[in-house]
């Protein structure tokens, strides 16, 4: 455990800059449905100079993953260090179906407040309840228009300036709403709100934004997006809002420098889940769970601009922040079934990676837990991913894979749907039927099948790795008190005569 907070004043020397160790801060920037559309990750079209500059001053993660490919569950996992089934936010925290975290969960904002760290959130929050996720400074969709606090980068800049006017150690979490789709809620602004604030009649004006328009025929599409004109126009609109996000990141970093906090602030940039395209968000394929991740430290200079291929998870963010602030992990303890458990964070601190790459990555593994997106999208899945293999357990495999509302009305999905109905070529890497109908178990050898098209779970030569990963998933479910641990072929009994001997009781339905 790193411990940078001391009882006396100690200075770290980095070049000519002195860093006061009892004033360490964190700036966490989260994109909304953001992906790898930036120069740092070899996208040659989407212009992201500010993100690329941040990456040059950071350790760049090539194999970072969310633990759940859905907005609220991912944000809750990010802020608690616990997967969806453990923290209680099983699906979207909105409307009448407002999934909440359990009231005894202690999020990173709550822990930091208790340790005299000033906390702030600007932009999209989308988690609850308030007593689990309290912030000293809060400007979110709960007390503002989400368009203003999540996409108006001038407004975000001014709110950041207001928060940074402090001499206290702080944690600032900025949740952009870009590049999330908005065609289902605000179609007047375009599919990705790419027209919002661009100065056109009725669109409003964001003074600090210089819109960039992309040509659909010039894009290089990822393998999981259909190579059609409708999809290309969709991605071009997405790129425009990514560029707005990028310019907003530049404004925030500048505010950090102007306020005098830049040289003692850990900066983390990532996203909540995959991009909002088929095989992206709500999926456990890499196209749905792989995330951009940069960590820039004013103390660690050994690996700035370098790349790590070590596996990491957004569940690692809370242990990393506790490590940075010198707070013991056991302060995150909560109570389950009247018994206090302290070993509940299954993630790890990422700070050691800022110094050196692990010599042996063969035992690394990350886990995933998905239950719902919208209330009608019940499709629980569990996942284990190693450096080479991935195992997905589809618990509701009898049902077709569900489609979320904003993806359904998107130009890309509607084009796939219409082409399928009229027996036309969808120019996609799989059929719609294959996308909907999934087996209970999916096992992929990512070394030879990075697009995850060849399920090898039934091969005799795959049984050893299948059993190994299946056992690891089960062990992780036990460690994190997963109520779905026996699904779908058994019932979990842990009360009455089973109180001290919990068991999975067979349903005899495994046909």
């Amino acid at each position: 455990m790193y411990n940078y907070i001391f009882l006396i004043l100690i200075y770290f020397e980095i070049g000519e800059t002195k860093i006061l160790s009892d004033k360490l801060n964190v700036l966490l920037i989260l994109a909304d449905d953001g992906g790898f559309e930036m120069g740092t990750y070899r996208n040659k079209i989407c212009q992201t100079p500010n993100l690329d500059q941040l990456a040059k001053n950071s350790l760049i993660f090539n194999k970072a993953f969310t633990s759940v490919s859905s907005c609220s569950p991912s944000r809750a996992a990010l802020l608690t260090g616990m997967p969806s089934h453990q923290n209680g936010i099983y699906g979207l925290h909105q409307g009448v179906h407002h999934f909440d975290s359990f009231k005894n969960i202690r999020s990173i904002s709550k822990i930091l407040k208790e340790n005299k760290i000033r906390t702030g959130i600007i932009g999209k929050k989308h988690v609850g309840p308030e007593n689990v996720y309290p912030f000293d400074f809060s400007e979110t969709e709960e007390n503002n228009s989400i368009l203003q606090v999540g996409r108006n980068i001038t407004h975000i800049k001014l709110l950041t300036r207001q928060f940074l006017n402090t001499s206290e150690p702080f944690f600032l979490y900025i949740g952009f709403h870009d590049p999330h789709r908005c065609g289902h809620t605000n179609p007047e602004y375009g599919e990705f709100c790419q027209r919002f604030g661009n100065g056109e009649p009725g669109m409003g004006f964001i003074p600090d934004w210089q819109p960039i328009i992309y040509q659909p025929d010039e894009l290089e599409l990822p393998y999981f997006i259909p190579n059609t004109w409708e999809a290309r126009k969709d991605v071009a609109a997405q790129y425009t809002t990514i560029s707005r996000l990028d310019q907003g990141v530049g404004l925030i970093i500048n505010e950090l420098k102007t306020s005098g906090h830049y040289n003692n602030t850990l900066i983390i940039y990532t996203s909540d889940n995959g991009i909002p395209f088929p095989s992206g968000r709500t999926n456990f394929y890499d196209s749905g769970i792989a995330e951009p991740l940069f960590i820039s430290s004013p103390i660690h200079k050994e690996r700035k601009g370098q790349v790590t291929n070590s596996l990491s998870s957004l569940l690692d963010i809370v242990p990393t922040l506790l490590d940075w602030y010198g707070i013991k992990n056991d302060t995150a303890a909560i109570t389950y079934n009247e018994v206090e458990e302290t070993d509940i964070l299954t993630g790890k601190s990422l700070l050691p990676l800022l110094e050196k790459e692990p010599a042996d990555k063969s035992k690394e593994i990350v886990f995933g837990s998905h239950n719902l997106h919208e209330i009608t999208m019940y499709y629980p899945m569990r996942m284990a991913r190693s450096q080479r293999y991935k195992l997905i357990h589809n618990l509701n495999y009898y049902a077709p894979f569900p489609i979320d509302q904003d993806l359904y009305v998107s130009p890309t999905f509607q084009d796939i749907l219409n082409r399928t109905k009229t027996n036309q070529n969808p120019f996609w890497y799989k059929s719609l039927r294959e996308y909907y109908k999934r087996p209970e178990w999916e096992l992929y050898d990512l070394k030879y099948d990075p697009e995850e098209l060849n399920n090898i779970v039934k091969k005799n030569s795959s049984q050893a790795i299948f059993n190994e990963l299946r056992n690891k998933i089960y062990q992780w479910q036990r460690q994190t008190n997963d109520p779905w641990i026996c699904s779908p072929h058994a019932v979990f009994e842990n009360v009455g005569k089973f109180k001290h001997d919990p068991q999975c009781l067979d349903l005899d339905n495994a046909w």
Side-chain angles (χ1 to χ4, degrees), residues 340-391:
E340 187 179 76
E341 300 184 5
T342 57
D343 187 22
I344 58 170
L345 298 184
T346 56
K348 62 185 183 300
S349 173
L350 299 176
L351 294 187
L353 289 173
L354 303 185
E355 294 185 347
K356 63 179 180 180
E357 189 78 352
D360 181 10
K361 295 188 280 288
S362 61
K363 297 293 193 298
E364 293 181 340
I365 191 166
V366 292
F367 295 98
S369 170
H370 179 102
N371 299 297
L372 301 97
H373 184 64
E374 290 145 5
I375 191 67
T376 55
M377 292 184 66
Y378 180 71
Y379 204 84
M381 302 177 284
R382 300 296 181 266
M383 178 211 73
R385 189 199 193 281
S386 66
Q387 285 283 354
R388 178 168 174 176
Y389 295 98
K390 178 190 291 180
L391 180 65

Side-chain angles (χ1 to χ4, degrees), residues 392-457:
I392 301 172
H393 190 192
N394 297 309
L395 279 63
N396 201 27
Y397 66 99
Y398 287 120
F401 188 80
I403 307 299
D404 59 282
Q405 290 176 325
D406 52 343
L407 175 63
Y408 181 83
V409 298
S410 71
T412 297
F413 187 79
Q414 283 296 305
D415 192 46
I416 292 175
L417 199 63
N418 292 332
R419 286 173 179 271
T420 300
K421 287 180 177 179
T422 55
N423 296 315
Q424 298 181 61
N425 186 349
F427 297 100
W428 197 27
Y429 77 133
K430 60 176 64 175
S431 70
L432 199 54
R433 180 178 293 274
E434 291 170 327
Y435 189 68
Y436 288 151
K437 186 58 179 173
R438 305 183 184 188
E440 180 178 2
W441 295 98
E442 298 178 70
L443 176 63
Y444 300 104
D445 185 339
L446 301 171
K447 179 178 180 180
Y448 298 106
D449 181 27
E451 296 181 0
E452 299 168 88
L453 292 171
N454 183 25
N455 183 7
I456 60 173
V457 72

Side-chain angles (χ1 to χ4, degrees), residues 161-174:
R161 182 179 300 173
Q162 183 180 344
F163 175 83
L164 291 176
N165 184 24
T166 180
S167 59
E168 301 173 86
F170 65 78
F171 166 66
L172 176 59
Y173 168 43
I174 297 184

Side-chain angles (χ1 to χ4, degrees), residues 22-88:
D22 67 344
K23 297 293 184 181
L24 293 178
N25 313 304
V26 172
L27 170 63
L28 173 59
I29 302 174
L30 190 70
D32 197 357
D33 294 0
F36 298 91
E37 302 80 15
M38 63 187 81
T40 298
Y41 289 106
R42 298 183 178 180
N43 187 306
K44 299 177 182 178
I45 304 298
C46 195
Q47 298 180 40
T48 54
N50 297 289
L51 286 170
D52 296 339
Q53 182 58 46
L54 176 59
K56 290 178 181 178
N57 293 317
S58 306
L59 179 63
I60 303 164
F61 288 71
N62 265 355
K63 293 183 178 179
F65 302 93
T66 183
S67 69
V68 51
S69 192
S70 175
C71 182
S72 295
S74 179
R75 291 162 192 270
L78 176 79
L79 292 171
T80 65
M82 305 174 199
S84 172
H85 64 256
Q86 189 181 16
N87 70 58

Side-chain angles (χ1 to χ4, degrees), residues 85 138 157 170 215 234 267 294 309 315 323 402 453 460:
H85 64 256
S138 181
K157 174 191 73 173
F170 65 78
Q215 301 305 315
D234 220 6
I267 304 173
F294 315 145
N309 286 304
L315 295 177
D323 198 355
L453 292 171
N460 290 335

Side-chain angles (χ1 to χ4, degrees), residues 151-413:
R151 300 189 195 258
N152 183 340
I153 60 175
T154 297
H155 190 49
I156 295 170
K157 174 191 73 173
L158 296 175
L159 290 173
T160 301
R161 182 179 300 173
Q162 183 180 344
F163 175 83
L164 291 176
N165 184 24
T166 180
S167 59
E168 301 173 86
F170 65 78
F171 166 66
L172 176 59
Y173 168 43
I174 297 184
F176 281 94
H177 198 25
D178 282 331
H180 194 286
R181 289 186 183 274
C182 77
H184 63 304
T185 55
N186 297 95
E188 67 275 16
Y189 294 126
E191 181 60 31
F192 285 86
C193 276
Q194 70 272 15
R195 299 174 63 198
F196 174 72
N198 69 357
E200 294 178 2
M203 296 297 106
F205 178 63
I206 301 174
D208 289 295
W209 182 34
Q210 297 179 348
I212 300 174
I213 307 301
Y214 294 88
Q215 301 305 315
D217 58 340
E218 296 179 354
L219 307 181
E220 296 179 6
L221 298 178
Y223 67 88
F224 57 92
I225 294 182
N227 188 10
T228 63
W229 187 247
E230 290 300 323
R232 286 180 169 276
K233 290 191 295 182
D234 220 6
V235 173
Q238 177 207 27
Y239 279 17
T240 294
T241 59
I242 291 170
S243 290
R244 179 168 58 201
L245 161 70
D246 175 78
Q247 292 174 35
V249 169
L251 294 172
I252 292 166
I253 300 299
N254 186 62
E255 290 299 321
L256 195 64
K257 292 178 178 178
T258 302
S259 66
H261 295 298
Y262 180 78
N263 289 318
N264 54 6
T265 300
L266 186 78
I267 304 173
I268 301 174
Y269 172 83
T270 188
S271 181
D272 54 351
N273 46 245
I275 63 176
F277 286 85
S279 287
R281 187 182 66 190
T282 74
N283 285 271
F284 267 162
Y285 305 125
D286 274 10
S287 47
I289 61 171
E291 303 302 335
L293 176 61
F294 315 145
I295 299 182
S296 174
S297 167
I299 293 174
H300 306 83
K301 58 183 179 180
E302 296 90 339
R303 305 193 67 195
K304 286 185 181 293
Q306 293 185 19
V307 169
T308 176
N309 286 304
S310 182
L311 296 184
S312 60
S313 166
L314 295 191
L315 295 177
D316 297 331
I317 297 299
V318 165
T320 300
L321 299 188
L322 294 175
D323 198 355
W324 176 255
Y325 287 113
I327 300 171
K328 291 183 179 180
N329 249 353
D330 59 11
T331 60
I334 62 173
T335 300
Y336 281 113
N337 298 325
E338 301 179 352
V339 177
E340 187 179 76
E341 300 184 5
T342 57
D343 187 22
I344 58 170
L345 298 184
T346 56
K348 62 185 183 300
S349 173
L350 299 176
L351 294 187
L353 289 173
L354 303 185
E355 294 185 347
K356 63 179 180 180
E357 189 78 352
D360 181 10
K361 295 188 280 288
S362 61
K363 297 293 193 298
E364 293 181 340
I365 191 166
V366 292
F367 295 98
S369 170
H370 179 102
N371 299 297
L372 301 97
H373 184 64
E374 290 145 5
I375 191 67
T376 55
M377 292 184 66
Y378 180 71
Y379 204 84
M381 302 177 284
R382 300 296 181 266
M383 178 211 73
R385 189 199 193 281
S386 66
Q387 285 283 354
R388 178 168 174 176
Y389 295 98
K390 178 190 291 180
L391 180 65
I392 301 172
H393 190 192
N394 297 309
L395 279 63
N396 201 27
Y397 66 99
Y398 287 120
F401 188 80
I403 307 299
D404 59 282
Q405 290 176 325
D406 52 343
L407 175 63
Y408 181 83
V409 298
S410 71
T412 297
F413 187 79

